[in-house]
Amino acid sequence: MRRGPGACLRRLAACGVFGGLLAALAALPLVGTAGITVNNVTRTLTDLPPSPRENPLPQRTVLLDKNGKRFAQFYTENRTVVTLAQVAPVMRDAIVAIEDSRFYEHAGLDLKGTLRALVTNTKAGEVRQGGSSLTQQLVKNILVENSESDTERAQARAPSIQRKITELRYALAMERKYSKAEILERYLNIAYFGAGAFGVEAAAQRFFSVPAARLTLPQAATLAGAVRTPYATDPSLDARRRERLRERRDIVLDRMAQLSYVTPARAEAAKRRPLAIRLKPEPGGCQGSDYPYFCLYVHRELLTNTVFGHTRAERERRLARGGIVLRTTLSPKAQRAAQRAISARVGRKDTEVAAEAMVQPGTGRIRAMAASKRYGVNAGNARNGPDTTYNLVADMAHGGGQGFQAGSTFKVFTLATALAQGWRFDQGFMTPGGFVPASGFVDCRGRKVNDPGTEIHNASGEGKGGPQSLSTGTWKSVNVFYMMLEQRVGLCPVVTTAKALGIVRADGTPLREVPTFTLGVNEMDPVTVAASFAAFGARGRYCRPMSIVEIVERDGRRFKVPPSCGRAIEREVADAVNHLLAGVFTKGTMTGQSIGRPAAGKTGTNNGYTSAWFAGYTPDLAAAVSVGDIRGSYRYPLRDVEIGGEYFGSVQGASLPGPIWVSSMEGALDGTRESHFHRPDMGRFGGGFTPGLEEALAREREEEGAEGTDTEGDGRRGARGDREDRGVRGDRGRRFREEYRYRGERGYRGERGYRGERRYRQERRYREDGAYRRYRAPQGRVPRWRDRPR
């Protein structure tokens, strides 16, 4: 039977002033009553304050993939708030039996319990037994949760008369405000059970891997026994504490039998059962996630995006309090495909790292973020080990580093600018063997940024030049042609196009608006590049990369997070870009590599082989892959390196990033319907004239016929390439096996005419005419002999 505060006061009056004093002083070993008058006690127990302020309890923030499966969680306190109906009745009985057996009879103050505690503590000379009711314990926990500093928390736990009186007054106020069921529900959700578990639901999952609704009698008694001394009975620490927890469980069972919650026989049977702790890991943060880089991106997005709070402090509080569910854009299928493709080609212990991001065109939804290294701290805090704490796929704002120079992938922005200005596919001009940007380059602030001290070449600095059109210059990725094209269309218009397509530096600093902008001198991250190329797949509609599509608040309210998209370039211009970049797979640097459906893309290899990229897309999915040395791309270029157990004389965009892209896209798109690009407006973009181009192409075809078959025996010779995307030719006549056959940068010859290092399948070993192999090193260095294992 429920009793109100009035009933409590009548009982206090019957007991006299002594009862009130006992209530205030019971927890202390020695009772001093000097200075406390009858009037003080009466006023203390009748003039009650409002019930204590109750902030939302800290809970877990849960991340779900696009299929609704949890893959990560954040929390300051591992807690999931549940209703009383979601807690097994036997658990409710167990906690009441051991903590406050007269919970349903008193109104916040248990006089019998207080008297019993007073006698016990006085005899012992110390606090051996608490006299607090469940309601008083709830008040104490609320005051601790409300504390904003260590000092406040210490005061909320201090064994002082003043604290006990404050708790008692608040308890009486809460009994007036809430029903017994509501008080019990609040207590079960706020109590700490040990092993990092706050609240009964988290405790049931942590201790026994079951929800609170399915707790058995022995399990419920175990959790109820842990509440009194959660640290001394923490089963995750050692066997001694587990034994203490078993002893506490048996005490609870005896008490439940004594109070007739269970029969003595059932209690004895439960006591004979083993403790049967099945600790369920509840990793918090991203290191324990299966998709750590995507998790990191979401975490940083929550802290930096104003959509989730106007100030950073507000966003941090929201994340710390938790209790929200975030439905993300992550596709487990795409994620697995990307990770498999990278792990098959780049080892975790390699200092060279590969990273890939996949983005959906038209929405900006990030579908995958994978890297060759595992996220975490290396043993002994070592550098350059198999783990890293950098988000290798993202920019600095999302936990990444400075990124790698994007190389020839940036030529696409000059291409789009030229097409928008009226250039046609076959329009071009004669190019020299080298180009000095001494004039004609003005940045978007109107400043001349010419660089007369720099000379740009196509292949190893010794190109002969020749006629190039928009088409051939793109397919062959000719540096000099694109430098001259950028000069003609304007540096600032090219930069403006890139910015409209979401291009920002990985380190957050302003873009370097220099003549070599079109050659990709700016450091980028895969997420930014993938989102930019996705805009071409969406016919010129750029969407800011997004990782969260829906937020479910702790009260069940749902908020959709819409994509942030806008028109970056004309649809017709995007169609024309797609047409030319599709030729990269059939006539360009990726010839011979295919995903079996329409695709477009661009390779990118930086001057000096400091990094290599491939960015490509279909109308359904875009992806960007970067490869560089984590120790520093300038100090450690991608020359004479062994990556994933395979030797590379040099790494180009099509020799490593390209195959990773092909494998990952095949896996991610497997089972999906094939989509096609829109045909370009040939009336607007078709035709054009480049002096001498037809004759040059005819001569090239004749040369290829005279030279005969190439090393792969497919009857093709490579067209001349540029410095960034070229093949370095090795010994002729050698064949090899591989899932995706290619030579160098897909058959394109550099100036010296050497084809690139081959990949092969056959226990990852080169087929040679002996234990040694002779090869030509890039950049015209002296040929050397290398000892290679057979």
Side-chain angles (χ1 to χ4, degrees):
M1 177 179 177
R2 184 180 175 186
R3 303 174 186 271
C8 177
L9 292 177
R10 286 192 294 272
R11 294 185 67 184
L12 283 173
C15 296
V17 176
F18 183 64
L21 293 174
L22 291 178
L25 308 177
L28 299 180
L30 300 175
V31 180
T33 60
I36 301 180
T37 66
V38 173
N39 289 335
N40 288 339
V41 173
T42 304
R43 187 165 53 252
T44 296
L45 301 178
T46 57
D47 187 12
L48 299 177
S51 61
R53 170 176 53 89
E54 297 176 74
N55 294 324
L57 293 175
Q59 296 188 64
R60 293 179 291 185
T61 292
V62 177
L63 276 59
L64 307 178
D65 63 27
K66 78 180 191 71
N67 301 324
K69 184 178 180 181
R70 184 178 72 179
F71 66 89
Q73 59 189 4
F74 308 131
Y75 59 80
T76 53
E77 294 182 2
N78 178 23
R79 176 189 283 110
T80 300
V81 173
V82 293
T83 65
L84 195 60
Q86 294 173 292
V87 180
V90 70
M91 182 67 220
R92 305 176 220 165
D93 293 342
I95 203 72
V96 169
I98 194 62
E99 290 299 316
D100 188 357
S101 61
R102 280 175 288 277
F103 172 67
Y104 294 103
E105 300 174 16
H106 63 69
L109 172 63
D110 181 10
L111 287 177
K112 291 183 180 179
T114 299
L115 287 169
R116 183 182 65 250
L118 174 64
V119 172
T120 302
N121 294 340
T122 301
K123 288 181 178 179
E126 61 180 352
V127 178
R128 298 290 297 274
Q129 190 176 109
S132 299
S133 65
L134 267 181
T135 314
Q136 288 173 276
Q137 294 180 47
L138 171 60
V139 168
K140 177 182 177 180
N141 279 287
I142 291 174
L143 295 178
V144 171
E145 286 289 342
N146 289 348
S147 301
E148 297 183 357
S149 67
D150 292 339
T151 301
E152 290 184 10
R153 277 185 285 274
Q155 291 175 348
R157 295 188 177 106
S160 65
I161 296 176
Q162 184 58 49
R163 182 192 49 98
K164 296 298 295 183
I165 293 175
T166 299
E167 283 181 9
L168 174 59
R169 298 180 72 221
Y170 275 139
L172 296 175
M174 290 199 78
E175 289 274 351
R176 183 168 57 187
K177 182 178 180 179
Y178 296 118
S179 67
K180 289 292 186 179
E182 290 171 325
I183 291 172
L184 182 57
E185 178 182 297
R186 280 167 167 76
Y187 177 81
L188 287 170
N189 278 307
I190 202 172
Y192 179 61
F193 289 81
F198 292 82
V200 66
E201 177 66 18
Q205 295 282 0
R206 179 78 169 107
F207 282 55
F208 302 110
S209 301
V210 299
R214 290 172 46 197
L215 286 168
T216 64
L217 173 61
Q219 292 170 342
T222 302
L223 295 184
V227 170
R228 182 71 60 82
T229 54
Y231 298 101
T233 56
D234 189 335
S236 68
L237 297 179
D238 52 45
R240 182 169 54 88
R241 286 179 172 83
R242 286 199 179 202
E243 180 58 26
R244 287 181 182 176
L245 182 59
R246 189 193 63 77
E247 293 172 358
R248 284 290 301 166
R249 178 201 67 176
D250 293 349
I251 291 173
V252 174
L253 289 169
D254 288 339
R255 184 63 174 159
M256 291 179 74
Q258 182 182 355
L259 297 172
S260 299
Y261 281 115
V262 296
T263 63
R266 189 181 174 195
E268 287 301 320
K271 288 167 64 176
R272 289 193 294 270
R273 299 282 298 275
L275 204 56
I277 296 293
R278 295 177 56 195
L279 286 174
K280 177 183 178 182
E282 290 290 354
C286 295
Q287 187 167 351
S289 172
D290 290 336
Y291 315 122
Y293 295 109
F294 191 94
C295 173
L296 281 172
Y297 193 95
V298 173
H299 184 262
R300 290 300 184 97
E301 190 73 4
L302 286 170
L303 293 178
T304 59
N305 196 328
T306 55
V307 170
F308 308 108
H310 297 297
T311 65
R312 184 177 180 91
E314 180 182 345
R315 295 189 291 270
E316 287 177 345
R317 282 195 301 271
R318 188 176 192 187
L319 184 60
R321 305 306 290 182
I324 57 178
V325 176
L326 303 173
R327 186 175 292 274
T328 73
T329 61
L330 178 73
S331 166
K333 179 180 178 181
Q335 179 70 36
R336 287 192 296 269
Q339 193 62 60
R340 280 198 299 264
I342 289 175
S343 299
R345 293 168 173 84
V346 183
R348 280 180 51 206
K349 295 183 179 180
D350 293 338
T351 57
E352 298 81 14
V353 293
E356 180 174 21
M358 291 183 166
V359 176
Q360 184 182 58
T363 65
R365 294 181 176 182
I366 303 172
R367 292 307 191 193
M369 293 178 67
S372 55
K373 288 189 179 293
R374 186 176 59 191
Y375 178 74
V377 179
N378 290 305
N381 244 358
R383 298 181 62 186
N384 307 322
D387 300 338
T388 180
T389 55
Y390 285 103
N391 189 345
L392 298 173
V393 200
D395 57 11
M396 275 190 173
H398 294 90
Q402 294 181 346
F404 295 118
Q405 285 187 328
S408 290
T409 59
F410 262 45
K411 290 173 182 173
V412 69
F413 307 122
T414 306
L415 172 63
T417 304
L419 290 166
Q421 291 183 5
W423 283 66
R424 293 175 176 269
F425 294 148
D426 295 328
Q427 181 179 349
F429 42 81
M430 184 65 67
T431 64
F435 176 78
V436 177
S439 64
F441 293 91
V442 180
D443 67 14
C444 291
R445 296 174 62 183
R447 300 175 304 178
K448 294 181 180 180
V449 290
N450 305 304
D451 189 3
T454 297
E455 185 172 7
I456 307 299
H457 300 278
N458 287 333
S460 298
E462 299 175 357
K464 294 180 180 179
Q468 299 291 348
S469 69
L470 210 59
S471 298
T472 61
T474 299
W475 297 334
K476 302 172 188 178
S477 193
V478 182
N479 283 351
V480 169
F481 171 78
Y482 261 93
M483 287 293 298
M484 297 175 69
L485 180 63
E486 181 188 57
Q487 183 187 48
R488 297 186 183 200
V489 301
L491 171 60
C492 182
V494 173
V495 173
T496 301
T497 298
K499 288 181 177 179
L501 289 163
I503 290 299
V504 291
R505 285 175 58 87
D507 60 8
T509 61
L511 288 170
R512 293 177 57 198
E513 299 179 22
V514 293
T516 50
F517 183 88
T518 191
L519 302 185
V521 297
N522 283 280
E523 286 81 7
M524 305 300 298
D525 62 278
V527 170
T528 300
V529 175
S532 180
F533 273 67
F536 295 110
R539 302 190 70 197
R541 184 173 185 256
Y542 171 75
C543 298
R544 181 185 182 274
M546 64 181 301
S547 57
I548 302 170
V549 293
E550 185 182 52
I551 303 173
V552 183
E553 297 285 2
R554 60 172 68 209
D555 59 4
R557 290 178 299 159
R558 294 176 178 268
F559 299 95
K560 299 288 185 180
V561 180
S564 177
C565 303
R567 174 63 50 194
I569 58 175
E570 299 175 66
R571 290 183 177 86
E572 293 77 15
V573 171
D575 294 339
V577 170
N578 298 340
H579 174 73
L580 287 184
L581 294 190
V584 170
F585 287 96
T586 57
K587 307 170 186 177
T589 51
M590 284 286 285
T591 300
Q593 300 194 70
S594 170
I595 62 172
R597 64 178 68 207
K602 186 70 189 71
T603 49
T605 311
N606 279 295
N607 186 34
Y609 302 100
T610 56
S611 62
W613 286 75
F614 186 79
Y617 55 95
T618 72
D620 303 307
L621 189 64
V625 180
S626 69
V627 177
D629 198 301
I630 197 171
R631 297 171 296 178
S633 58
Y634 299 103
R635 293 176 57 197
Y636 300 94
L638 302 176
R639 293 195 302 256
D640 298 334
V641 293
E642 187 172 296
I643 303 175
E646 183 170 343
Y647 175 78
F648 291 85
S650 60
V651 178
Q652 298 99 30
S655 63
L656 186 54
I660 290 173
W661 184 91
V662 168
S663 294
S664 62
M665 288 289 283
E666 281 186 329
L669 294 172
D670 183 44
T672 63
R673 187 174 61 182
E674 184 177 295
S675 298
H676 295 263
F677 296 115
H678 285 73
R679 293 183 177 180
D681 182 352
M682 298 305 291
R684 177 178 174 182
F685 302 106
F689 176 69
T690 301
L693 182 60
E694 286 299 324
E695 295 81 357
L697 292 176
R699 286 195 303 271
E700 194 172 84
R701 286 191 292 269
E702 290 176 3
E703 291 175 2
E704 289 179 354
E707 289 178 355
T709 60
D710 65 6
T711 60
E712 292 180 355
D714 59 5
R716 294 198 304 267
R717 296 295 303 186
R720 291 192 181 278
D722 67 349
R723 183 174 191 177
E724 297 191 355
D725 293 314
R726 71 180 188 277
V728 182
R729 199 172 129 207
D731 299 333
R732 295 186 54 189
R734 190 181 46 195
R735 297 176 178 274
F736 65 96
R737 297 177 180 178
E738 190 195 11
E739 183 178 1
Y740 298 104
R741 302 172 63 212
Y742 65 94
R743 56 186 186 280
E745 282 283 321
R746 296 308 317 145
Y748 284 81
R749 293 174 59 207
E751 191 100 11
R752 289 188 173 275
Y754 293 104
R755 297 212 182 271
E757 298 295 336
R758 273 70 162 182
R759 296 170 60 98
Y760 64 95
R761 290 172 65 188
Q762 190 179 22
E763 298 181 3
R764 290 185 174 274
R765 296 174 182 169
Y766 288 88
R767 297 182 62 185
E768 308 168 23
D769 293 331
Y772 300 89
R773 175 179 178 279
R774 188 176 185 177
Y775 74 102
R776 289 276 186 175
Q779 306 266 349
R781 288 182 291 173
V782 178
R784 295 177 295 175
W785 290 92
R786 274 292 175 92
D787 186 6
R788 302 297 302 169
R790 289 187 60 76

